[in-house]
Amino acid sequence: MKVLITGFEPFGGEKINPSWEAVRRLPDEIAGAELIKRQLPVTFRGVRELLPRLIVETKPDLVILTGQAGGRPNITVERVAINVMDSTMPDNEGFVPEDEPIFERAPDAYFATLPVKSIVKALREAKIPAAVSNTAGTYVCNTAMYTALHTIAVAGMETKAGFIHVPFVYEQALDKPGPSMALETIVRAYEVAIRTSLKD
Amino acid sequence: MKVLITGFEPFGGEKINPSWEAVRRLPDEIAGAELIKRQLPVTFRGVRELLPRLIVETKPDLVILTGQAGGRPNITVERVAINVMDSTMPDNEGFVPEDEPIFERAPDAYFATLPVKSIVKALREAKIPAAVSNTAGTYVCNTAMYTALHTIAVAGMETKAGFIHVPFVYEQALDKPGPSMALETIVRAYEVAIRTSLKD
Amino acid sequence: MKVLITGFEPFGGEKINPSWEAVRRLPDEIAGAELIKRQLPVTFRGVRELLPRLIVETKPDLVILTGQAGGRPNITVERVAINVMDSTMPDNEGFVPEDEPIFERAPDAYFATLPVKSIVKALREAKIPAAVSNTAGTYVCNTAMYTALHTIAVAGMETKAGFIHVPFVYEQALDKPGPSMALETIVRAYEVAIRTSLKD
Amino acid sequence: MKVLITGFEPFGGEKINPSWEAVRRLPDEIAGAELIKRQLPVTFRGVRELLPRLIVETKPDLVILTGQAGGRPNITVERVAINVMDSTMPDNEGFVPEDEPIFERAPDAYFATLPVKSIVKALREAKIPAAVSNTAGTYVCNTAMYTALHTIAVAGMETKAGFIHVPFVYEQALDKPGPSMALETIVRAYEVAIRTSLKD
């Protein structure tokens, strides 16, 4: 079994991105499955180019994309990705799309094929605050999730895929009023999510 | 040097109180100072009876009272305690005071004598999200803080005293939408607060 | 031109539903278009039965569904409806669906065909706080929006349709800590949304 | 009977200050009492110079100071003012005090002498969301409240005084994610507060 797990590079003025910091701290193997860890660029173009190639080449059984959702207080497992790129904040290449489709002539949305509810349940049993999220936004995270699910659908692969959003970690929240989480907890959450998805 | 540090028993339907869970995990000595750890009842009557006796008998150099502030995302060091008990939520004895003074013929407020700003600065340097708070509320936490500062003032003692509020810990936030923090981080925060106060 | 505009009955322990209170205060005609005002039940079954019939029978040029989103601070125009019913809160018939599709063999999602961004822009120009929302949730509101868009798509109609969520009104927020809005402002927002959609 | 009611000039990059916009829309007389309306500068120096003079010269029966609390969702009646000026945001003269007393050798705090709870009750009866607040912060609003109460105490006057914080109005919240309120509602809230205080 092979698991492709990705995190993003920093964006929005942050010095780190907790999604990648947690991915790179994961072991190389979990429950007998090999982990392929990749950092993705925070660019609409980049994820649409890299992810399809990565998925087709590595043929993973499981794709777990992860990203930072600053302001959310808990681990959120995304339910759905929608076919739109829309942002007022430029991506890391300076691109600012307004209501553009990610792929032309493609469905409006794809539901995650990860066991979303089982992951949330397992996280809570591991005493990690977690919830289902019904929107991955319309920025690069949603584009990555949509791209992965669209690639898998078009290629007719069996791969399960989905997206997990994580809060700021403590060091990012020192001078912000909002919520944050220990990095170790996010690493642990990823392990729980992988184990749960492999069992599914 | 002697440090009296207290946490509260659970209240408001919670099974644990993170303030006490963190206090009881502290070592018995920090930076050469002896720690006296006590759990306080969540009753207006209880803290007004117990705290003065405890302070006068143990004659600590430092009093750090701690309590749970569910909903706050970070460690907050309280600036001021005010002479009022006012609540719609009953305390653990069922008492529901409305706008009653804690002590008659006593000042409207006392400022904390802990080095509030230095503690917040030290916490942030230790990568623990923290802030000054300008209100400890009007429930039992504020009553405890006021009682300690009033006792010390009336007795003419040199003891520094103050109050630290802590967020829910993860296990309390599993089915709540708000922020939470790792218990280990709260324990670490108390150590930083004690070391900083002793140096002051 | 005919505009079908709906609000919901109260739910979740509330005595009123601001979405319907605002709908019923609208004039019978706006910018030369006739308004057909209907109250919808807060039941998954009800909206799936009533809405298709209502749309097919009245053949409106425009369908604006509206509902209460307690806790949101502003008027939100929904971007997308997804093919899922999922709730822990029972609907007004006691039904508690878990991850069920609204319609079998139907698309995962439909984007609103209202001019979402133009409505938000027009609302702000009218000094009414407004934003695009990327999720209508997975309760009855989303089911209504999905049902309307699916009905129109399947019937091959030209009708534009979408959903507007509104905050609590003042009287609902008297003993809640969150945001609220004047009912008159919501009525005004509906007028702006209708005018903007008719011009589109 | 004479009522001194004040609002502030804009600060923090805002173009208007809803506290003053509401004050200047009040009638000149309420329940037989004459209203003296003044705009205060958002400067620590200014309010400490102007307010004592204003109170001593006009000898009002009632002083209601009002200010903007952006981010709060409802009308809040302040319970207490504390003897400290502490800010990281400069006032409108560029002054950035850190932990300085407003007046030397003065009490740590003063409780409002307005009927705080009765005002909140009357506001709710008028269907205006309202709450008691236990902190007026440590910026110019708190300084104004402290200065008024200290002036009245030192002069041995009978004047009742206090502070009301108001949310952003709609036009300030158009491109902010937080709560706001109709300006007319704030005007109405001031009338309710004045009537209730005069009856007290």
Side-chain angles (χ1 to χ4, degrees), chain A residues 79-80 82-84 86 98-99 107-111 117 132 134-135 137-138, chain C residues 79-80 82-84 86 98-99 107-111 117 132 134-135 137-138:
Chain A
R79 185 196 289 272
V80 67
I82 59 176
N83 190 16
V84 69
D86 188 33
E98 188 177 354
D99 284 341
D108 286 356
Y110 285 101
F111 285 115
K117 290 283 180 73
V132 176
N134 294 313
T135 176
T138 57
Chain C
R79 185 195 289 271
V80 67
I82 58 176
N83 190 16
V84 70
D86 188 33
E98 188 177 353
D99 284 340
D108 286 357
Y110 285 101
F111 284 115
K117 289 283 180 73
V132 176
N134 294 314
T135 177
T138 58

Side-chain angles (χ1 to χ4, degrees), chain C residues 127-169:
Chain C
K127 300 204 173 168
I128 300 173
V132 176
S133 164
N134 294 314
T135 177
T138 58
Y139 194 59
V140 179
C141 289
N142 171 72
T143 290
M145 181 177 173
Y146 187 94
T147 298
L149 289 162
H150 185 57
T151 299
I152 290 163
V154 166
M157 297 169 77
E158 298 280 303
T159 308
K160 309 259 184 196
F163 199 101
I164 295 176
H165 263 124
V166 305
F168 283 134
V169 288

Side-chain angles (χ1 to χ4, degrees), chain A residues 5 18-27 30 35 37 75 123 128 164 166-167 169 181-195, chain B residues 170:
Chain A
I5 183 157
S19 68
W20 172 246
E21 293 304 316
V23 165
R24 68 185 190 82
R25 276 166 179 78
L26 286 170
I30 288 180
L35 261 61
K37 309 171 200 170
I75 303 285
L123 287 170
I128 300 172
I164 295 176
V166 305
V169 288
M181 192 174 257
L183 178 56
E184 301 74 46
T185 309
I186 297 175
V187 177
R188 207 152 53 81
Y190 287 1
E191 294 201 29
V192 169
I194 291 169
R195 282 179 196 281
Chain B
Y170 294 152

Side-chain angles (χ1 to χ4, degrees), chain B residues 96-119:
Chain B
V96 187
E98 188 177 354
D99 284 340
E100 295 183 29
I102 301 169
F103 293 99
E104 301 282 352
R105 281 173 300 280
D108 285 355
Y110 285 101
F111 285 116
T113 49
L114 291 184
V116 171
K117 290 283 180 73
S118 303
I119 293 172

Side-chain angles (χ1 to χ4, degrees), chain B residues 22-173:
Chain B
V23 165
R24 68 185 190 83
R25 276 164 178 79
L26 286 170
D28 293 326
E29 203 185 291
I30 288 180
E34 177 200 352
L35 261 62
I36 306 164
K37 309 170 199 172
R38 290 290 183 279
Q39 193 192 54
L40 297 179
V42 179
T43 69
F44 290 97
R45 189 184 54 78
V47 297
R48 286 186 295 170
E49 281 177 21
L50 282 172
L51 263 180
R53 205 186 309 151
L54 204 50
I55 290 168
V56 169
E57 283 174 8
T58 62
K59 292 183 184 49
D61 300 279
L62 190 63
V63 177
I64 298 187
L65 310 168
T66 75
Q68 164 192 304
R72 292 195 188 171
N74 49 16
I75 303 285
T76 43
V77 187
E78 298 295 343
R79 186 195 289 271
V80 66
I82 59 176
N83 190 16
V84 69
M85 302 183 290
D86 187 32
S87 178
T88 52
M89 176 168 66
D91 73 6
N92 282 356
E93 283 180 339
F95 182 48
V96 187
E98 188 177 354
D99 284 340
E100 295 183 29
I102 301 169
F103 293 99
E104 301 282 352
R105 281 173 300 280
D108 285 355
Y110 285 101
F111 285 116
T113 49
L114 291 184
V116 171
K117 290 283 180 73
S118 303
I119 293 172
V120 169
K121 192 164 170 282
L123 287 170
R124 289 178 177 179
E125 281 166 6
K127 300 203 173 169
I128 301 172
V132 175
S133 164
N134 294 314
T135 175
T138 58
Y139 195 58
V140 179
C141 289
N142 172 71
T143 291
M145 181 177 173
Y146 187 93
T147 299
L149 289 162
H150 185 59
T151 301
I152 290 164
V154 167
M157 296 167 78
E158 299 280 303
T159 307
K160 308 259 184 197
F163 198 101
I164 295 176
H165 263 124
V166 304
F168 283 135
V169 288
Y170 294 152
E171 66 181 278
Q172 296 179 286

Side-chain angles (χ1 to χ4, degrees), chain D residues 4-136:
Chain D
L4 172 62
I5 183 157
T6 69
F8 279 103
E9 65 183 6
F11 70 102
E14 297 294 324
K15 282 181 194 142
I16 60 160
N17 189 316
S19 67
W20 172 245
E21 293 304 317
V23 165
R24 69 186 189 82
R25 276 165 179 78
L26 286 169
D28 292 327
E29 204 186 290
I30 288 180
E34 177 199 352
L35 262 61
I36 305 164
K37 308 171 200 172
R38 289 290 184 280
Q39 193 193 53
L40 297 179
V42 179
T43 69
F44 290 97
R45 190 183 52 79
V47 298
R48 285 185 295 169
E49 280 178 21
L50 282 171
L51 263 180
R53 207 187 308 152
L54 205 50
I55 290 169
V56 169
E57 283 174 7
T58 61
K59 294 185 184 47
D61 300 279
L62 191 63
V63 177
I64 298 188
L65 311 168
T66 75
Q68 163 193 304
R72 292 195 188 171
N74 49 16
I75 303 285
T76 44
V77 187
E78 297 296 342
R79 186 196 289 272
V80 65
I82 59 177
N83 190 17
V84 70
M85 302 183 291
D86 188 32
S87 178
T88 52
M89 176 166 67
D91 73 7
N92 283 356
E93 283 180 338
F95 182 49
V96 187
E98 188 178 353
D99 284 341
E100 294 183 30
I102 301 169
F103 293 100
E104 301 282 352
R105 280 171 302 280
D108 286 356
Y110 284 101
F111 285 114
T113 48
L114 291 184
V116 171
K117 290 283 180 73
S118 303
I119 294 173
V120 169
K121 192 163 168 282
L123 287 169
R124 289 178 177 179
E125 280 166 8
K127 301 205 173 168
I128 301 172
V132 176
S133 164
N134 294 314
T135 175

Side-chain angles (χ1 to χ4, degrees), chain A residues 133-164:
Chain A
S133 164
N134 294 313
T135 176
T138 57
Y139 194 58
V140 178
C141 289
N142 172 72
T143 291
M145 181 177 174
Y146 187 94
T147 298
L149 290 162
H150 185 58
T151 300
I152 290 164
V154 166
M157 296 168 77
E158 298 280 303
T159 308
K160 309 257 184 198
F163 198 102
I164 295 176

